[in-house]
Amino acid sequence: MSDYPPELDATARAQHLVVTRAQLLSVGCTDMHLYRQARRGRWQRVLPATYALFSGTLTEEQRRVSAALYAGPQAQLTGLAALHWYGFRYSPRSDAVQLVVPHHVRRRSAAYAQVSRALTLDGRARHTAFYPVCSPARAVVDAARDLRQLRPVRAVVAEAVQRGYADLPGLDEEIRRARRSRTALIRKAFGEVVAGTRSAPEAELRECLAGSRVLPAILWNPRLSNGTGESMPTPDGYLADAALALQVDSQEYHFSPDDWSRTLDRHNQLSRYGILVLHFTPARIRREPGRVRQLVEEAYESRRGSVPLTRVRVEPLPGPAALAIDPAPAGLPPAGPAPADLTPAGPASTLPPTRLTPDRRHLEEVLAARHRVEQA
């Protein structure tokens, strides 16, 4: 038997047993009855004028519904709460529920409901039965503005693009909408993704090697093909004049024998052409960046001037600094055509293979987005 008026049954069940004070008063309850029910532990006041008609811990969905009821009908779910709703795997976990309301709405944050005001709401928000959810691009930018460390920002931006939640122009539009308000980290992470970064650990490896006085410009995520035009595995980084490949291997992709087998197969395919592959874990890059840089520098100096046993054609990802490099010795016939796609033979980073296809339309989007970031 329910512990609330039967007239409220349909509404309460539809709202996951979370209701507002106004809804309770509309079916004949009094404020004294609400107080007594909460005092006896039968109900709980989870937010101002918002009640859960049960005792115990709220589920994640009940927290979202209660926060939306508290913030009002115009509130939109955003930030980390929206990313969790979409199913982001690499966004930080948070008990808070972030919502955005129109600027004229006066609603303060309370408990786990974090309410912020905005001049414009998201016109591409998805509507659910209880609350609108901001588009992934808007949610990523809003979440990044509340984060204080670069690594989680890199992770959510890379995942948004890698898994197809948002495209570069959409993220660029939201960054420009936010202007300079707490957008330094998101601008940096966005610039790295525009340059071809596919994961947060890869961005950390780039940052680790950027200060080297020994290493030349590293080609990141290049397309490799052999002399017959056959596609080869794509390393995270490649130094063509030393036939040296760099690979970031996350533990996530080595839990099963099949994952380990794919990694070995990628390594062997590159090694059969005389390419030395250096493997680094994300943890080691973070804890020992100096040692990682030293290992890469020593390997590069020992192999500088080396060429693959079989001619390898290197084609970087499309971008402003993309250069076609062919390390084949002089006198050999021209290399075969480069592969048509950019699909790696196996997992090369902590995120799924990139969805950034190097067609003309995408290249124009990348160049335009990068130009706007640099000019901002």
Side-chain angles (χ1 to χ4, degrees):
M1 180 176 179
S2 62
D3 200 22
Y4 48 85
E7 299 87 349
L8 194 64
D9 186 69
T11 300
R13 293 183 182 278
Q15 296 177 177
H16 298 269
L17 297 181
V18 177
V19 296
T20 65
R21 172 180 174 271
Q23 290 173 331
L24 288 167
L25 296 181
S26 68
V27 295
C29 293
T30 64
D31 284 325
M32 181 56 68
H33 180 69
L34 272 58
Y35 170 77
R36 288 175 177 172
Q37 290 293 83
R39 183 70 179 269
R40 294 168 181 168
R42 296 177 179 177
W43 299 352
Q44 50 183 321
R45 181 177 177 270
V46 293
L47 289 168
T50 309
Y51 292 82
L53 304 179
F54 58 91
S55 60
T57 305
L58 275 67
T59 66
E60 190 170 351
E61 178 63 10
Q62 286 171 333
R63 295 170 72 87
R64 289 193 289 257
V65 171
S66 60
L69 290 173
Y70 164 72
Q74 293 181 291
Q76 294 180 343
L77 194 70
T78 190
L80 293 177
L83 298 185
H84 297 159
W85 186 88
Y86 279 111
F88 274 63
R89 295 183 296 173
Y90 299 98
S91 62
R93 306 302 297 179
S94 173
D95 291 332
V97 178
Q98 297 81 17
L99 302 112
V100 59
V101 298
H103 196 268
H104 66 272
V105 174
R106 303 296 177 180
R107 182 70 73 184
R108 294 183 178 181
S109 298
Y112 53 83
Q114 295 183 354
V115 183
S116 59
R117 296 184 298 163
L119 294 175
T120 57
L121 296 182
D122 188 2
R124 294 187 292 269
R126 295 188 181 183
H127 292 274
T128 69
F130 309 109
Y131 45 78
V133 183
C134 286
S135 64
R138 177 69 172 264
V140 165
V141 174
D142 286 349
R145 294 172 68 191
D146 291 333
L147 296 174
R148 296 294 179 265
Q149 296 181 342
L150 179 58
R151 189 170 190 274
V153 175
R154 281 171 167 164
V156 297
V157 173
E159 183 174 6
V161 176
Q162 293 291 335
R163 300 181 64 191
Y165 287 115
D167 56 18
L168 294 177
L171 286 171
D172 178 55
E173 180 183 348
E174 291 299 333
I175 293 173
R176 288 187 288 112
R177 177 198 57 79
R179 300 181 182 178
R180 293 286 180 175
S181 176
R182 296 174 290 134
T183 58
L185 296 181
I186 184 69
R187 287 173 180 270
K188 180 176 178 60
F190 178 75
E192 293 170 348
V193 171
V194 169
T197 301
R198 299 187 300 183
S199 67
E202 183 184 314
E204 292 172 354
L205 179 62
R206 292 191 185 205
E207 196 171 57
C208 168
L209 302 179
S212 174
R213 298 182 179 180
V214 177
L215 302 176
I218 300 175
L219 298 175
W220 297 101
N221 302 308
R223 291 186 295 174
L224 304 183
S225 58
N226 59 22
T228 62
E230 180 184 355
S231 179
M232 298 168 54
T234 298
D236 291 330
Y238 189 66
L239 292 159
D241 61 338
L244 178 63
L246 310 176
Q247 199 72 31
V248 181
D249 292 320
S250 171
Q251 185 180 13
E252 175 184 358
Y253 290 101
H254 297 91
F255 283 136
S256 71
D258 288 342
D259 295 335
W260 178 240
S261 177
R262 282 193 294 268
T263 297
L264 291 179
D265 184 60
R266 288 169 53 81
H267 180 100
N268 293 337
Q269 287 189 58
L270 292 174
S271 298
R272 63 184 287 215
Y273 293 105
I275 298 175
L276 174 64
V277 185
L278 298 182
H279 297 266
F280 302 102
T281 64
R284 188 173 190 184
I285 295 171
R286 289 194 299 271
R287 297 171 186 171
E288 302 178 278
R291 178 57 178 162
V292 170
R293 182 167 55 249
Q294 180 183 359
L295 287 173
V296 176
E297 289 176 346
E298 291 176 351
Y300 173 76
E301 288 184 321
S302 67
R303 292 175 58 87
R304 183 161 40 187
S306 301
V307 295
L309 300 178
T310 301
R311 184 176 39 159
V312 174
R313 181 173 179 80
V314 186
E315 184 177 343
L317 280 173
L323 299 174
I325 298 178
D326 188 349
L332 290 178
D341 56 24
L342 189 59
T343 305
S349 62
T350 60
L351 291 180
T354 180
R355 294 172 182 251
L356 304 183
T357 55
D359 55 21
R360 182 177 181 82
R361 177 177 175 275
H362 171 68
L363 177 57
E364 292 174 352
E365 292 175 353
V366 171
L367 295 177
R370 188 169 192 174
H371 176 74
R372 284 192 290 267
V373 171
E374 293 173 348
Q375 295 299 318

